[in-house]
Amino acid sequence: HVVQQLEGTQCSYFFFKHNDPLKSSLAVFLRSMAYQMANANRSVRQQLLELQQDDPFLEMENTRNIWRKVFGVVFKAQYHQPHYWVIDALDECKAAENHDFGGLFGFLAKIDHGVPVKLFMTSRFTTELERLIAPLHPVTEQVTAEDTTQDIRAYVKTYLDSLPGENKEEQTDLAESIIAKSSGCFLWAVVVIHQLKEVMFFEETEDVLQQVPQEMEGLYMRSLQVLSTKPKYKQLTLSILNWTICAMRALTTFELKDALKLDINQTIIKDLEKAIPSLTGHLVFVDRHSRVQILHQTVTAFLTDPNLGSEIRVKKSEGNTNIAKACLRYLCGEEMQMQKRRRSSAAIFRERTNALSDYACSYFSEHLLRATSTDDELFKLLTNFLRTNILTWIEIIAQKKRMDFLTRAAKHLKAYLDRRAK
């Protein structure tokens, strides 16, 4: 909404997202802002082009290096109007998780007052954030539960016709009950609305409203209890949760469908996008870009808690092991084999139809690094891959012009094998 209101101005924006390694990275944030500023300002473009010519091998993963070198020239450009930065969900940045926000605010505090950069940021309130942002002398506005009540009311009203009830009056009464019980917690309202859309009996409606505790942890536990009544799909549910939480980026429904086949050897025939909410107790959803997302970062913390007393718990080491094995099954498969031409020694690629192909090629080593080193099946799959299709993989990575994946994979393989040798 804020970005839309700033349409017609020079505006750069970034939305942090906790469960996305790219969207939670300070380095990616800084690179994105520099890119957007260059798109909007010719002088900034010129400064960055000169920097690239002077230093073509500039290290772009180190945040301090990016700020010192990239923004050192960005802020030397000419500005004929204010440039707005819109930063959303700052608390979902990795730096917040590691209590290392000082670097970012140290950078922001060093922006010269002559540079017309205006900042708009949103974040959950923390005392640490309040302390760090104070030197910037910001104008702050804290959103309270009362402030969100009207937003919740508007949200519930949009789903009024899908709520259970024999007539409009019953649906309206139920909507008012949801608004009253939400206590300003938008997430609670969203989950309850999705649960109510599936009830068949009036008594179920009362159960949804009455048995869900006030705290979100209780709500998540109830979702797990509902899932425990569906033992037939337990393996499928755990696989979806593992991929959603442990994947290095959000998968599309097409990628997840093929991932599940490689992981648990089951072929989904139903519409996965429609099935995911009920299969995961509404802890996972599919966004408008068909990407599979965890409902909220607190769901990840809840499901990975070692003290969680439920069969449906995500063990990250086990989850990464299963994902690594699934990726390696693909990398060892027929699609990765080269075909020889009949009258030539040259090899050609087979057509890659598996939707997980790009992910498996790009991120298998990330999961290998995080997997348990004692799993013999994983080691055998890795050995088979290195003996068969490794050259195909190298050529695919080269075609993608991501040679950094090769060096990263080499480091990950060494770390895995060192642990395996102990």
Side-chain angles (χ1 to χ4, degrees), residues 141-154 179-186:
E141 183 73 26
Q142 188 168 352
V143 180
T144 65
E146 291 75 19
D147 295 325
T148 61
T149 299
Q150 291 305 315
D151 294 330
I152 293 173
R153 180 179 296 278
I179 295 166
K181 290 179 178 293
S182 70
S183 299
C185 182
F186 203 103

Side-chain angles (χ1 to χ4, degrees), residues 300-328:
T300 298
F302 173 78
L303 290 175
T304 56
D305 183 356
N307 298 316
L308 178 62
S310 171
E311 292 182 344
I312 302 174
R313 177 166 74 86
V314 175
K315 303 173 184 177
K316 285 194 173 182
S317 178
E318 184 176 315
N320 279 290
T321 299
N322 290 336
I323 293 176
K325 287 194 284 190
C327 290
L328 284 168

Side-chain angles (χ1 to χ4, degrees), residues 19-23 28 31 61 94 243 246-252 255 319-331 336 355-371 378 382 385 393 396-397 400 402 404-406 408-410 412-413:
N19 65 319
D20 188 322
L22 294 178
K23 292 183 180 179
V28 174
R31 296 201 302 265
E61 293 296 331
K94 281 182 183 177
W243 281 92
C246 298
M248 303 309 296
R249 62 164 173 79
L251 301 182
T252 66
E255 289 176 319
N320 279 290
T321 299
N322 290 336
I323 293 176
K325 287 194 284 190
C327 290
L328 284 168
R329 288 187 189 109
Y330 171 77
L331 295 175
M336 289 292 290
L356 196 68
S357 173
D358 180 73
Y359 186 91
C361 289
S362 301
Y363 297 110
F364 85 94
S365 72
E366 296 282 354
H367 296 289
L368 189 67
L369 178 69
R370 294 163 175 78
L378 175 60
L382 176 62
F385 167 58
W393 173 75
I396 290 171
I397 295 300
K400 290 160 64 73
R402 292 304 307 267
D404 56 313
F405 282 176
L406 293 178
R408 192 180 308 166
H412 295 166
L413 284 169

Side-chain angles (χ1 to χ4, degrees), residues 351-397:
E351 182 182 2
R352 294 194 297 279
T353 59
N354 192 300
L356 196 68
S357 173
D358 180 73
Y359 186 91
C361 289
S362 301
Y363 297 110
F364 85 94
S365 72
E366 296 282 354
H367 296 289
L368 189 67
L369 178 69
R370 294 163 175 78
T372 175
S373 59
T374 57
D375 191 291
D376 291 333
E377 183 186 0
L378 175 60
F379 182 71
K380 289 177 182 178
L381 284 166
L382 176 62
T383 303
N384 187 26
F385 167 58
L386 295 175
R387 288 175 175 172
T388 55
N389 298 337
I390 182 67
L391 294 179
T392 310
W393 173 75
I394 291 174
E395 186 148 351
I396 290 171
I397 295 300

Side-chain angles (χ1 to χ4, degrees), residues 159-282:
Y159 289 94
L160 185 64
D161 292 336
S162 64
L163 293 177
E166 294 185 354
N167 50 54
K168 202 76 170 180
E169 183 179 351
E170 287 187 3
Q171 290 176 319
T172 301
D173 289 343
L174 179 56
E176 291 300 325
S177 295
I178 295 169
I179 295 166
K181 290 179 178 293
S182 70
S183 299
C185 182
F186 203 103
L187 181 59
W188 183 91
V190 171
V191 177
V192 167
I193 287 290
H194 284 300
Q195 290 178 340
L196 287 172
K197 287 195 292 184
E198 293 188 0
V199 303
M200 186 173 294
F201 304 108
F202 177 78
E203 291 76 8
E204 288 183 88
T205 300
E206 288 301 311
D207 288 341
V208 170
L209 293 176
Q210 298 299 330
Q211 295 180 9
V212 175
Q214 295 288 324
E215 297 179 0
M216 294 304 295
E217 183 172 317
L219 179 60
Y220 299 153
M221 183 57 76
R222 183 185 184 281
S223 294
L224 296 189
Q225 290 170 350
V226 171
L227 292 175
S228 67
T229 65
K230 306 174 183 178
K232 182 179 179 180
Y233 299 114
K234 176 186 170 184
Q235 185 184 26
L236 177 58
T237 294
L238 278 171
S239 184
I240 293 173
L241 291 173
N242 278 334
W243 281 92
T244 307
I245 289 175
C246 298
M248 303 309 296
R249 62 164 173 79
L251 301 182
T252 66
T253 50
F254 300 105
E255 289 176 319
L256 181 60
K257 184 176 181 178
D258 285 345
L260 294 172
K261 173 64 176 176
L262 289 163
D263 186 7
I264 58 176
N265 197 28
Q266 291 184 355
T267 305
I268 307 296
I269 58 174
K270 291 188 67 175
D271 186 334
L272 188 58
E273 181 171 344
K274 293 181 179 178
I276 280 176
S278 60
L279 284 171
T280 62
H282 298 283

